[in-house]
Amino acid sequence: MRGNIFLIGIGPGNKDYLTGEAKKTLEKVDIIIGYKLYIELIEEFIQDTRLVKGQMTKELERVNLAIDHALEGKDVALISSGDTGVYGMAGPLLAELDKRELKTEEKPAVRVIPGVTALLAAAAKLGAPLMNDFAVISLSDLLVPWEEIEKRIKSIAKTDFVIGVYNPSSKRRKENFARFREILLKERDGATPVGLVWNAGREKERVLKTTLEDLPEEKVDMLTTVIVGNSKSYISDKGDFITPRGYQQ
Amino acid sequence: MRGNIFLIGIGPGNKDYLTGEAKKTLEKVDIIIGYKLYIELIEEFIQDTRLVKGQMTKELERVNLAIDHALEGKDVALISSGDTGVYGMAGPLLAELDKRELKTEEKPAVRVIPGVTALLAAAAKLGAPLMNDFAVISLSDLLVPWEEIEKRIKSIAKTDFVIGVYNPSSKRRKENFARFREILLKERDGATPVGLVWNAGREKERVLKTTLEDLPEEKVDMLTTVIVGNSKSYISDKGDFITPRGYQQ
């Protein structure tokens, strides 16, 4: 008897971001596998014995551990921060499962449970910056060539998308974010609002509203979510970052 | 004494998509205002007397009703389906509040509570289609000129974004979705996977996986979320719509 695999996004911060479905599922499975930091976030309401902490860079190891447990008949939850479908574990798990030499009836049933991705939590902290068409881009060139990323930045900058940025910077690639800003400044006004949120919903949460011109590139790290407004975005008197939907104009 | 306004996204479907924060807030406020259909979705766990049902097209009426109640000292929740910050009520509320002739200290405190937007729920039903950079676009030209929308579609089609579509069609604008498909077919392979989800998480949920070539434009309506893959997306043997993150290749 095969077990089930549940791909779960736990939200970006504390347990208040969990959906009812995610919480109910976490309470009933046999094993919960995730990167150490995320497991620690849910430890306050889940009993310890079912938790398996993995290492940061070992995504495929966690994926295959989840599949192996399910093949032994266990119900397994594989955890991502935010939403499992947005730069999370859903893709790697489904792709690895597809590669295994198993008959269809032998494969574990998989259920993807959506969550609040970091971009939505960051937007909520800033006001309402995503209210028109937006694009989501990762500046990590570990998996996508930088030339490709640069082409994408140019195209969305030119056509006035609000832009949500994941992985703006890491220790190894400080220059990507500076280059991102440089490309945008060629297409957009320096006064375009930019919002930065560090650790949305976590203890060390920090929110900064600035402009493209004044963007402090050196303070951005892997845990920062960045949102760049479109040509109609503004900061209100009350300090909210607002992108108009249109009908009030 | 001013009340508080909570902008709440209740998720796209049933109450299982609610976050803990959204649920707790709905339980404690004095008044809950929302479009009739969304209020009905939460009626099963909220007492009736606090619920105010609004009409579909009267967004600004609901927004101002919420502000008025808060000015009278009530705690108000203003409801959107999905996430309040993605084509929802957060922008209109904050913008209207900004326009009112109130001193800063008179303005009600506003808190935006994020939720699972329809795109993430649809992605979860399809597999893992959003695993690389993606763009979100509404095909409704009520608020944005069609020429602008068309420019945006072309730019993201050329630079290989996965594309999430809101408001693909309505009774009044059947042709927009046909035109969207036509533009994409000029830039992308006809075999590119496309997923359609109707009523994600609701009773009448329906999921269809097809290709750009075979896309059945006539079946798409206002309640459909459409996801178009990038050049690397595929449908697995098991039937999952997968966009590779990259590192498995």
Side-chain angles (χ1 to χ4, degrees), chain A residues 15-22 24 59-60 63 83-99 104 107-117 119-121 123-125 127-138 143-144 148-149 151-153 155-156 159-161 230 234 236-238 240-243 245-248, chain B residues 15-22 24 59-60 63 83-99 104 107-117 119-121 123-125 127-138 143-144 148-149 151-153 155-156 159-161 230 234 236-238 240-243 245-248:
Chain A
K15 71 176 168 50
D16 284 347
Y17 285 128
L18 268 184
T19 67
E21 190 183 15
K24 264 190 285 185
E59 283 91 354
L60 290 185
V63 158
D83 179 271
T84 185
V86 178
Y87 308 114
M89 301 297 281
L93 184 288
L94 290 172
E96 281 296 300
L97 194 59
D98 194 43
K99 281 186 204 162
T104 303
K107 290 198 177 179
V110 179
R111 190 180 164 100
V112 185
I113 297 178
V116 175
T117 182
L119 181 72
L120 301 184
K125 298 290 170 184
L130 300 177
M131 297 296 302
N132 209 306
D133 302 332
F134 63 94
V136 176
I137 192 159
S138 164
L143 310 172
V144 176
E148 187 67 24
I149 296 171
K151 255 191 251 168
R152 289 180 184 172
I153 298 168
S155 76
I156 53 179
T159 46
D160 213 23
F161 280 89
N230 70 15
Y234 62 99
S236 73
D237 291 343
K238 215 162 140 274
D240 294 311
F241 180 168
I242 301 174
T243 299
R245 252 175 81 175
Y247 55 71
Q248 294 148 304
Chain B
K15 71 177 168 50
D16 284 347
Y17 286 127
L18 267 184
T19 67
E21 190 183 16
K24 265 190 283 185
E59 282 92 354
L60 289 185
V63 158
D83 180 271
T84 185
V86 177
Y87 308 114
M89 301 298 280
L93 185 287
L94 291 172
E96 280 298 297
L97 194 58
D98 195 43
K99 282 186 203 161
T104 303
K107 289 196 178 178
V110 179
R111 191 180 162 101
V112 186
I113 297 178
V116 175
T117 183
L119 181 70
L120 301 184
K125 299 291 172 184
L130 299 177
M131 297 297 301
N132 209 305
D133 302 333
F134 63 95
V136 176
I137 193 158
S138 164
L143 309 172
V144 176
E148 188 66 25
I149 297 172
K151 253 191 254 169
R152 290 181 183 171
I153 299 168
S155 76
I156 53 179
T159 45
D160 213 24
F161 279 90
N230 70 15
Y234 62 98
S236 73
D237 291 343
K238 214 161 141 274
D240 294 311
F241 180 168
I242 301 173
T243 299
R245 253 174 83 176
Y247 55 70
Q248 294 148 304

Side-chain angles (χ1 to χ4, degrees), chain A residues 7 11 15 41 44 49 55 76 85 104 107 121 136 157 182 200-201 216 233:
Chain A
L7 290 157
K15 71 176 168 50
L41 285 169
E44 55 176 301
T49 51
Q55 282 176 277
V76 187
T104 303
K107 290 198 177 179
V136 176
E182 197 184 323
S233 303

Side-chain angles (χ1 to χ4, degrees), chain A residues 202-233:
Chain A
R202 293 183 192 149
E203 246 179 59
K204 293 179 181 171
E205 175 179 295
R206 198 161 83 79
V207 175
L208 177 70
K209 289 157 198 162
T210 179
T211 63
L212 210 42
E213 212 155 46
D214 295 335
L215 197 52
E217 58 190 65
E218 73 283 359
K219 289 180 192 162
V220 169
D221 61 32
M222 263 178 56
L223 293 173
T224 322
T225 306
V226 180
I227 300 179
V228 181
N230 70 15
S231 61
K232 304 281 198 305
S233 303

